[in-house]
Amino acid sequence: MTKKPQYKRVVLKISGEALQGSLKHGIDFNFCEKLALEIKEVCTLGIQIALVVGAGNIFRGAENTRRLGMDRSVADYMGMMATVINGMALQDILEKVGVPTRVQTSIQMHEIAEPYIRRKAIRHLEKKRVVIFVAGTGNPYFTTDTAAALKAMEINADIILKATKVDGVYSADPLKVKNARKYKTLKYIDVLKRGLKVMDATAISLCMDNKLPILVFNLNKHGNIKKALLAKDIGTVVK
Ligand code: GTP
């Protein structure tokens, strides 16, 4: 018997880095097509999906401020523009595999995408369209993780699925520390106190204040999005 999904509406946060797949930068269209097929499968379960994409595969705002001394606002606006490129690529790939989508941008650019309108986003989701939110929150100094938290709150999502390269949240970087321990669940406050790298503090605080759970899981394992939504025992839940 197929297990029933436990969520009605979710926000899937995909980092820009994830979209680069096996490449060093840019968009790995083969990887993204596999991702699109996974999203398509999840849509058939009747789950409403909104995507928030990052931009690290194209441009990293905060890093360029640190390394090159760029003005933080300028760098962040460039990062937000890069999320638009990623969102448009995802839209194209998803629609090619038969998933209807709408891109909504937090920085108005009418020729390219419709503006972010909360009620319209919800309507698209109800009409079984995947909504791709781009341009972060529209403000510098906020990450795309914070944008994901904010949008999730606004559209009354049940959870944020935070896609990463590792299986969950560990006591130390599992790629560097051999005996790093994976947490099954964590409290928001512990993530903040211990400085665990789940999402930035603003995003975590927003989720904490509004009791929105976050599931951190590995996007690189095929089928994990579906498993996450069917409450199969994967990743780390922050709640
Ligand atoms: P329904 O009203 O539920 O049928 O939704 P819809 O999105 O199909 O209707 P609408 O007429 O608003 O949009 C038709 C197409 O135009 C969709 O692909 C939208 O994403 C796109 N669209 C809507 N508003 C804008 C905009 O301001 N700019 C751009 N570039 N596209 C837009």
Side-chain angles (χ1 to χ4, degrees), residues 136-191:
T137 65
N139 303 99
Y141 292 92
F142 290 98
T143 62
T144 45
D145 279 349
T146 300
L150 188 61
K151 295 289 190 270
M153 242 70 86
E154 286 199 63
I155 62 166
N156 308 318
D158 302 311
I159 191 166
I160 299 181
L161 305 183
K162 158 87 178 168
T164 65
K165 289 185 291 188
V166 286
D167 289 325
V169 186
Y170 286 76
S171 51
D173 185 346
L175 302 174
K176 290 180 192 151
V177 181
K178 217 175 139 205
N179 337 324
R181 193 166 63 88
K182 189 183 120 187
Y183 300 108
K184 248 182 142 175
T185 58
L186 271 170
K187 290 186 179 152
Y188 305 105
I189 196 72
D190 292 329
V191 172

Side-chain angles (χ1 to χ4, degrees), residues 102 110-115 120 124 127 129:
R102 293 291 183 268
H110 279 290
E111 289 76 4
I112 289 173
E114 59 184 82
K120 198 154 178 172
H124 287 322
K127 288 187 173 176
R129 296 163 181 155

Side-chain angles (χ1 to χ4, degrees), residues 119-138:
R119 290 175 67 103
K120 198 154 178 172
I122 291 173
R123 196 78 193 107
H124 287 322
L125 291 167
E126 286 167 352
K127 288 187 173 176
K128 305 196 184 324
R129 296 163 181 155
V130 169
V131 179
I132 306 169
F133 292 123
V134 297
T137 65

